[in-house]
Each structure stands twice: as C-alpha cells, then as structure tokens.
Amino acid sequence: MQNVILKKSNKQINGTVHLTGSKSECNRALVIEALSNGKVKVENVSDAADAVLLAGILRSSESEILSLESKVLSQNSKDSELKTQDSRLVDIGPAGTAMRFLTAYFAIQDNEVILTGSQRMKERPIGILVDALRELGAHIDYEEKEGYPPIKLKGSFGQLTSKISIKGNISSQYITALLLIAARLPFGLELHIEGELTSRPYVEMTLAMLETAGIQHQWQDNVIAIANQEFTTTSLHVEPDWSAASYWYAIAALADQAELFLTGLTPYSLQGDSVITEIMANFGITSQFKDGGVQLTREHKPFSHKIFDLKECPDLAQTIVVVCAALGHEAAFTGLETLKIKETDRILALQTELAKMGVKLIENNEVYQLDCSGKFIPERMFINTYHDHRMAMAFAPLALIIPELEFENAPVVDKSYPAFWTDLEKLGFETQEIEG
C-alpha cells in the first residue's frame, strides 16, 4: 500500500487547476444514458474511479462485464455460495453511489444479477432502498446479512404500485436511485418523502438532469411524481467537480497568500457543493467567475460564522471541519447525520485524526462543536485515511501549517480525484511516495 509524505515550503499558492468531471453528475448521467436505449449520450465522463467503474458496467455487454468488471468471489465459503451459472456477478468495490443506483437499475432489468462490493460496502445499509423496490414489484434477496449487500436481483419485474414512501433523512441516493428509473416504470412513480429531506440539492440535480433528457416531473410539498415517458435524444455534459474544488478552497483558506484559478466552473451549477463559494467567504476567500472558470483570492478578515448547517452539502463537512480546526475556529456543525454511513464513519474518523493535533469534535444532540483549546501544531502528523478519499483530501491542506504530513493509502483519492497529488505538485507541494 502506497503512502505519501506531503510538504509545502511556504504558504503562498499561485496557479491554475483543471478539475475532473463531477462524480455525482457523471454517475447520474451514466444511468440515464443506459436507461434511454441509446438516445442520451454523456460528454466529459469523469475519470474518478467510481465513474469509470460504473461506465464500464453500464456500457459493456454482459460478457464484457463478466470478464472486465465482475469478480468471481472466492475468498471464503460464504462468497463461494454466491457463484451460480444463471446469475451475473457484479462487484462494485467501495463505490457506494454505484451500489445504490445499480440496485434500482438492475431491479427492473430482465436478467438475474448478484450485486456485491468491498467489506465496507457490506457494512453500509441498503435495506430502505430494497424495501421500496420490493414494494414496487422487484424481486430482491439478501445473500448474507439482512439489510446489507450482497443482494440478488432476480429480474422479472412486474409493477405492483406506483405510490411508495421513503424516509428523507437517510440518504438522498436512495431517492435518486428511484427517480432515475421512474420513467421506465409502466405506471410511473409517485414518491412520498417522509420527514425532512437531507441533501436536497442532490435530488434537485437528479431531476434537472432527467429534465434535460426529456423526463418531466411534478414536485409538490413532499411528493415527487414522474409518469411513464420516453427519453429524448440529447447529450448530457458533465460539469467539473465542485466537491474537488472544495479542497482548493481549503488550501486557499490556510495560505498566507493565494491566487488560484479553477477552470470550467460556473456560478450556475447543478451541484449542491457549489455552496463552497459562500461558505469559504467566511474565511476570506473571494470567488470571481471569469474566463471560463473561477478565480480564488485570499483576503485576511475576521472569522464570524460560528454555526455551519451542512445538511444539504454533507460531502463538504470534512473539508470545513479541518479548516476550522487548523485556524482554531471553534465553530459548530449541524446536518452531519449521514456521515456515519459513508465510506467510513466520518465523524469518528474526524475525531480520531483531529485529536492528533489536540482538537476535539464533540457531539451533543446532533450538534458538533469544535474545541480547539488544546490545539497544537506537531512537527509531523500521520493521517489514517480509513479507505475514504475525502479523509485524505480534506486533511491535505494541513501541509500549509504542519511541516510534514504522511498519508496512509494515498491512492484512495482515485475514487473521485485521481490527479489530486499531481495537482498539488503543480502548485508547489512536495510529495514523496513510500511503502506503507
């Protein structure tokens, strides 16, 4: 396993960064393309590992999927039980979005599929989505633990109802997975969202992309309705990734001086994480959209924002928490409920790593408070990444204040931003690969 040592000799940041396509947009676009029977084409496919994997699964023929993407599991007798001559085995590794989207996609296909993933994926719940799909008429069985992957999708879908309910505060990916297949359901879909909707911008992104592909919807109060209808011939262009941009905002916030240009980003994005422009204004980062991108400039100003509600942009949480900790800002955070069921328990991971610089993240009734009273700057800090790409990238900006950082399993960033370490080098960071 490759580790990386990261250093920065000064606190000045100047240059240009070319970001990959948005993983969130790309994954949705790829499923829409697959469901459209050739009418929709995706442009600017992300080079994020998750998107590349999903594209391979959806775009390949069955025989190609078996040889290129699927892995015959033989690690233990339990996995061996999954092998059947009639089932197609698809292993999505650690790709959580792919697991949710493919569960819905394969549920309405005719062939029988066993969908599995990494050990961590087998610990991430899928039951709410499976229950909703079963209610619609899907035939799905759990192969190991009830409520968790791997799952067997048996095909022969016959719609039983068009009206289902789903909790809104668990994962917007469940809702998106259902909305993506809605127009292909014989009776359409009337989705009732129970309670408060977490990550609303991601649902809005899904509906906007479907609309571009010709799929109309109605959203009134807590009900989203999509009738059975045909896709239109069109192209879906994937924007650069605002989630990836957030790490450069964090770097600018920790620099003494920063002039950074991020190409391809616009102020009219479908991505909820574009709110990083507003959030980072609290740290003195101005965003000027010009020349086909956004110019970031660091200005020194007092920090005033003390409470961040990240309910609609939870993927920014690690980035913002680490920046606040680094600057000694004892901010509070809400809307972090979904972080515990991501690639890792991100709350616990943040607490563990921040403790290495004397900072505490204290939970009190779903409000998280930073305590920086014991903060210190170590000469060297080892960052565990927990198989989580965002842990690596969120902590990388600390190289501007800590002389030497070592990151465990540096290639974990391939999941969403394969060029991350290379882009850091282009901006004057020193990287050294070592065996972990």
Side-chain angles (χ1 to χ4, degrees), residues 372-410:
C372 299
S373 60
K375 175 194 164 190
F376 64 95
I377 303 299
E379 284 297 309
R380 190 179 193 281
M381 188 166 159
F382 183 88
I383 307 296
N384 292 94
T385 58
Y386 307 90
H387 305 289
D388 184 350
H389 55 133
R390 300 206 188 280
M391 283 299 293
M393 293 184 285
F395 276 83
L398 290 182
L400 288 163
I401 64 169
I402 296 175
E404 184 175 300
L405 296 178
E406 181 179 345
F407 291 85
E408 169 216 25
N409 186 19

Side-chain angles (χ1 to χ4, degrees), residues 145-159:
K145 184 179 178 182
E146 191 76 12
Y148 297 83
I151 55 176
K152 178 185 285 186
L153 302 108
K154 298 181 179 180
S156 303
F157 179 85
Q159 190 168 3

Side-chain angles (χ1 to χ4, degrees), residues 322-367:
V322 172
V323 168
C324 287
L327 295 174
H329 296 325
E330 296 193 335
F333 307 88
T334 60
L336 307 187
E337 290 75 25
T338 62
L339 265 63
K340 295 182 179 180
I341 59 168
K342 296 288 188 176
E343 283 80 347
T344 186
D345 180 341
R346 287 178 171 170
I347 297 296
L348 179 59
L350 280 168
Q351 291 169 328
T352 303
E353 299 310 299
L354 290 175
K356 297 175 181 178
M357 53 188 292
V359 176
K360 298 177 182 178
L361 181 63
I362 302 167
E363 180 180 3
N364 182 14
N365 194 27
E366 297 189 349
V367 176

Side-chain angles (χ1 to χ4, degrees), residues 132 135-136 159-165 187-192:
E135 191 175 347
L136 284 171
Q159 190 168 3
L160 301 175
T161 181
S162 62
K163 298 180 181 180
I164 59 171
S165 297
F187 310 138
L189 179 66
E190 188 176 295
L191 187 61
H192 295 250

Side-chain angles (χ1 to χ4, degrees), residues 124-153:
R124 298 178 68 179
I126 196 76
I128 289 176
L129 178 57
V130 168
D131 288 347
L133 289 166
R134 283 173 169 174
E135 191 175 347
L136 284 171
H139 302 284
I140 307 173
D141 288 337
Y142 295 107
E143 293 294 288
E144 294 180 13
K145 184 179 178 182
E146 191 76 12
Y148 297 83
I151 55 176
K152 178 185 285 186
L153 302 108

